[in-house]
Amino acid sequence: MQHKKIKAFPENFLWGGSTSAYQIEGAWDKDGKGPSVMDMGKHPDAVTDFKVASNHYDLYKTDVALMAEMGFKAYRFSIAWTRIYPTGTGEINPKGIEFYNNLINELIEKGIEPVVTMYHFDLPYALEEKGGWSNRETIDAFENYAKTLFTHFGDRVKYWLTINEQNTLILHGKAIGSVDPNLENPEKELYQQNHHMLLAQAKAMRLCHEMVSDAKVGPAPNIQLVYPASSKPEDVIAAQNFNSIRNWLYLDMACYGRYNSTVWSYFEEKGYTPTIEDGDMEILASGKPNFIAFNYYNTFTVEQSVPENAEGNHTGDEHLTIGEAGVYNGHTNPHLQKTEFGWEVDPVGFRATLREIYERYNLPLLVTENGLGAYDKLEEGDIVNDDYRIDYLRKHLEQAQLAITDGVELIGYCPWSAIDLVSTHQGISKRYGFIYVNRDEFDLKDLRRIRKQSFYWFQKLIETNGKSLNS
Ligand code: BG6
């Protein structure tokens, strides 16, 4: 639809930025923190591990001051489960509570709304050793952890996100390490883990309403609309398949507590049907979100899967789709450019995704990730000219504004990432932040913070509540 008049961004719009604990904090074993699966994972030789990251643990005051200078209204970060419970359960680590209390207080003092992800990929290693999400006891451990978070931080944190990108954990579990790829049927195991995570999420949402009645809670999957490669009806079916499997499964469960019919027939066809115990469906139906947070980087395009093009879908990179035999096959979209890391860039797809989610679930939306990973260059005089990032963000925000004009209730935009951090599998050289962190893969240098050009651009945008976008 073409609009004669574009609506303004709403008042109190949550302009901000996002990070996750293991990618930014460092201090991986400091002050009683236990190891997580991310600390124990393998790293490609050419990239750094997460041990020091951006050392936000020690430098959080500097970072929050810079966020405040940018005008942030919100900061979306995750709590490291292993700082609170070093082995996932048992004794609370007071130093972990202290760190997040300090961070939250610092944010509030600066007028920045804390938006907290409870779990962002970094499962306690001690739980992983006991079977991780395959073990139903992890559901209880998560519920207990959530209870502790609401008890200690619920007085000040009013926006809670349950699990970051559960769909990435499942769709790329063999590469991320959530499951042993040598199992006879790893996908069946992954969908059993998925069922357990969904139960944990439903319990946490229910608990949030009981314990902190003025707080809002929601899921945080990675949602990116899937396009058919052509108007060929079989391609449309393939797009419906992948939309149901990668997107709607996660939101249908969070919002309605039911498996959608396409996903269920896919499970049956492939032999992935999870074991559902008595009472599980009641628990799933009882956890209601107040809003939907989601991460968006691009769209996917698929065609019908035929024997000649059938391949696996397990690259370990959640933004590169290959396909699954008999279900869909990935297709390069000829209308889109790619980033230097091969991810398609689709700002209009952002509008389409926002509209689709809102129409399906009718809940307020919060964008908790969107951004451009690039090899930024630090130039003489501490200058980082990331005009390509400004261009990326501007185009996405223009489309977000059109989605608002279309009627979508968008409450905030927290791109990835507030400051530079270590990418999931491509190191610190793949940068996303508004603030440059002076280190390389293996040379920690001085870790000093440097404002990029995008910092000033975003600052102006927030100051004008988005008006400078159109000037
Ligand atoms: C999201 C994750 O999928 O994408 C983040 O929630 C991640 O943790 C971000 O960093 C960007 O991906 P990558 O692989 O470039 O770090």
Side-chain angles (χ1 to χ4, degrees), residues 370-397:
N370 172 234
L372 179 70
Y375 292 110
D376 294 344
K377 220 167 118 223
L378 180 61
E379 292 170 33
E380 226 179 277
D382 274 358
I383 290 171
V384 181
N385 227 321
D386 58 343
D387 43 359
Y388 37 85
R389 180 165 295 109
I390 296 174
D391 186 58
Y392 178 102
L393 295 172
R394 174 189 289 120
K395 286 182 176 148
H396 282 79
L397 276 164

Side-chain angles (χ1 to χ4, degrees), residues 91-326:
E91 291 289 305
I92 293 177
N93 172 29
K95 282 284 190 190
I97 302 283
E98 186 185 319
F99 172 68
Y100 292 109
N101 263 333
N102 290 342
L103 174 60
I104 290 164
N105 291 343
E106 192 74 15
L107 289 166
I108 289 176
E109 198 187 296
K110 297 265 185 324
I112 301 174
E113 185 81 49
V115 176
V116 173
T117 316
M118 299 183 208
Y119 161 50
H120 191 124
F121 298 167
D122 51 355
L123 188 73
Y125 190 66
L127 295 182
E128 182 65 20
E129 285 190 306
K130 287 191 257 170
W133 284 107
S134 294
N135 184 346
R136 277 186 81 102
E137 282 175 19
T138 301
I139 305 172
D140 305 329
F142 186 76
E143 191 182 12
N144 174 59
Y145 165 59
K147 196 174 191 177
T148 304
L149 298 187
F150 299 142
T151 304
H152 289 272
F153 311 123
D155 57 334
R156 287 152 294 150
V157 175
K158 300 301 166 194
Y159 288 88
W160 292 95
L161 314 177
T162 52
I163 300 176
N164 178 71
E165 293 197 358
Q166 183 175 328
N167 49 347
T168 298
L169 283 169
I170 300 305
L171 291 160
H172 300 279
K174 287 196 290 194
I176 293 178
S178 343
V179 79
D180 178 357
N182 302 316
L183 284 178
E184 199 184 318
N185 189 348
E187 279 79 14
K188 181 170 170 54
E189 195 54 41
L190 282 165
Y191 281 109
Q192 190 63 53
Q193 294 186 0
N194 186 49
H195 184 70
H196 296 161
M197 275 190 238
L198 291 167
L199 286 164
Q201 166 170 273
K203 286 185 165 202
M205 290 198 290
R206 203 167 66 184
L207 205 58
C208 183
H209 300 310
E210 281 164 21
M211 293 181 63
V212 219
S213 56
D214 61 339
K216 294 178 169 60
V217 62
N222 176 302
I223 302 294
Q224 346 218 100
L225 209 56
V226 183
Y227 300 148
S230 75
S231 53
K232 190 176 159 197
E234 286 81 359
D235 289 348
V236 175
I237 297 289
Q240 286 183 326
N241 289 342
F242 196 38
N243 263 315
S244 291
I245 293 166
R246 103 165 287 288
N247 293 322
W248 314 137
L249 160 58
Y250 300 88
L251 289 178
D252 289 346
M253 289 307 282
C255 298
Y256 308 133
R258 63 168 168 77
Y259 283 104
N260 70 59
S261 48
T262 307
V263 157
W264 198 258
S265 75
Y266 163 75
F267 286 171
E268 288 181 336
E269 172 63 31
K270 297 273 177 184
Y272 302 161
T273 314
T275 303
I276 298 178
E277 292 196 358
D278 279 355
D280 282 2
M281 295 318 288
E282 287 72 22
I283 294 170
L284 290 167
S286 70
K288 298 279 178 226
N290 304 92
F291 66 102
I292 291 172
F294 76 104
N295 302 343
Y296 174 89
Y297 289 90
N298 47 24
T299 45
F300 292 117
T301 303
V302 300
E303 62 187 355
Q304 178 188 15
S305 165
V306 288
E308 304 80 70
N309 66 20
E311 284 184 66
N313 180 35
H314 306 289
T315 59
D317 189 322
E318 68 269 35
H319 302 278
L320 303 178
T321 300
I322 297 179
E324 183 164 2

Side-chain angles (χ1 to χ4, degrees), residues 22-23 120-121 164-165 222 295 297 318-319 343 369 416 423-426 430 432:
Y22 79 91
Q23 294 176 274
H120 191 124
F121 298 167
N164 178 71
E165 293 197 358
N222 176 302
N295 302 343
Y297 289 90
E318 68 269 35
H319 302 278
W343 295 11
E369 285 183 38
W416 189 262
S423 142
T424 52
H425 62 293
Q426 287 167 308
K430 186 185 193 185
Y432 285 87

